[in-house]
Amino acid sequence: MKIAFIGLGNMGAPMARNLAAAGHKVTGFDTAAPAPEGVTMAPSAADAAAGAEVVFTMLPNGQILRTVADELVPAMAAGAVLCDCSTVDVQSAREVAAQAEAAGLGALDAPVSGGVGGAAAGTLTFMVGGSDAAFVTVRPLFEIMGQKAVHCGGPGAGQAAKICNNMILGVTMIATCEAFALADKLGLDRQKMFDVVSTSSGYSWSMNAYCPAPGVGPQSPADNGYKPGFAAELMLKDLRLSQQAAEGADADTPMGRLAADLYARFVEEEDGRGRDFSAMLPRFEGRGRS
Ligand code: NAD
């Protein structure tokens, strides 16, 4: 297929490289990043998109996505699909999809989980919103870049799934970290704590697969000095998106709000920036109740 890829940063570059390595003709554009292996660079987003059957975007936020979509949509061939893989607010995803569909294009929001490692290995999970027809067109490409693509519903459903999942993740990571810090103060050995909780009703992905305590459970960023992994500031971004969505939908999400506030403090006032989001554990360790 002829593919355009706009936004070739930490995530976009390996995704585009994997598409090119599978034999697709990939034309890229980025305002700053260099060409990934196998990708031909175009002088603008519109030039990259002209004649492409599928145009991927992997951009920092919804505002940038809207600006880029204004340029892409008029340049795209009739019937082509605009597939945004960035994590953005649900409203931007829905409005960009409506803009593309009004111009006779297909549109998908397809945010990912799996991080930079998953992008490089081609093992991402895609959470997809949009029409059946657009999903069927892009599915073979999701299969190259990832191991799973779930069609969640209409426009915005992929972003909704992503921010709900990551709201749970932020809350359970905080709960796991504060429980470890309490266990420390009660004199409970961390390995015993893991052995019990990971097989009891307190278990979660945060405890079982990504344990925030160094030397306990499977290998995780905690075993590597809390180098990300999934950076605390990206968790903050997703928690803020979940609160923005909750406000728009009048949903009561008190734990999500607390998690967003705590990660904001951690990243913006403390030493969380550039550390993995599981570095909440050393944060709690050093603190008392006041
Ligand atoms: P990044 O900052 O490394 O890459 C974004 C790229 O977009 C940059 O290369 C930048 O130059 C480019 N860009 C910005 N404005 C542009 C424009 N107008 N036209 C063309 N290119 C432009 O970010 P990333 O880590 O690759 O993340 C991309 C998206 O994926 C974000 O929405 C992020 O939330 C999401 N995401 C990231 C991860 C992760 O672990 N990094 C995991 C899941 C989802």
Side-chain angles (χ1 to χ4, degrees), residues 82 92-103 105-109 129-130 155-156:
L82 176 59
S92 292
R94 289 191 174 141
E95 288 180 19
V96 166
Q99 179 185 6
E101 284 172 357
L105 304 170
L108 296 174
D109 52 291

Side-chain angles (χ1 to χ4, degrees), residues 16 59 66 69 78 84 93 128 137-138 146 167 191 202 207 229 283:
L59 296 163
R66 286 169 188 254
D84 177 49
V128 189
T137 301
V138 181
M167 187 171 78
Q191 183 63 50
M207 175 61 88
R283 178 192 183 277

Side-chain angles (χ1 to χ4, degrees), residues 155-235:
Q159 298 295 350
K162 164 96 188 181
I163 59 174
C164 288
N165 180 74
N166 281 18
M167 187 171 78
I168 295 171
L169 177 60
V171 169
T172 57
M173 181 54 80
I174 290 170
T176 303
C177 291
E178 68 183 32
F180 262 120
L182 171 60
D184 287 347
K185 292 200 175 181
L186 297 176
L188 177 60
D189 178 73
R190 285 185 169 182
Q191 183 63 50
K192 302 294 179 201
M193 166 84 172
F194 177 83
D195 292 346
V196 170
V197 174
S198 65
T199 54
S200 300
S201 45
Y203 85 88
S204 68
W205 187 86
S206 296
M207 175 61 88
N208 291 37
Y210 205 94
C211 182
V216 176
Q219 274 291 120
S220 70
D223 300 306
N224 192 23
Y226 295 100
K227 189 170 167 285
F230 186 47
E233 54 267 34
L234 285 178
M235 174 50 83

Side-chain angles (χ1 to χ4, degrees), residues 6-13 29-34 45 58-61 64-65 67-68 71 85-88 111-117 124 162 166 229-231 234 237-238 241:
I6 316 299
L8 298 162
N10 292 321
M11 295 292 290
F29 175 73
D30 191 294
T31 46
M58 194 53 165
L59 296 163
N61 59 48
I64 294 175
L65 170 66
T67 307
V68 171
E71 197 186 336
C85 296
S86 329
T87 304
V88 304
V112 302
S113 74
V116 177
L124 295 169
K162 164 96 188 181
N166 281 18
F230 186 47
L234 285 178
K237 173 189 172 180
D238 293 356
L241 288 175

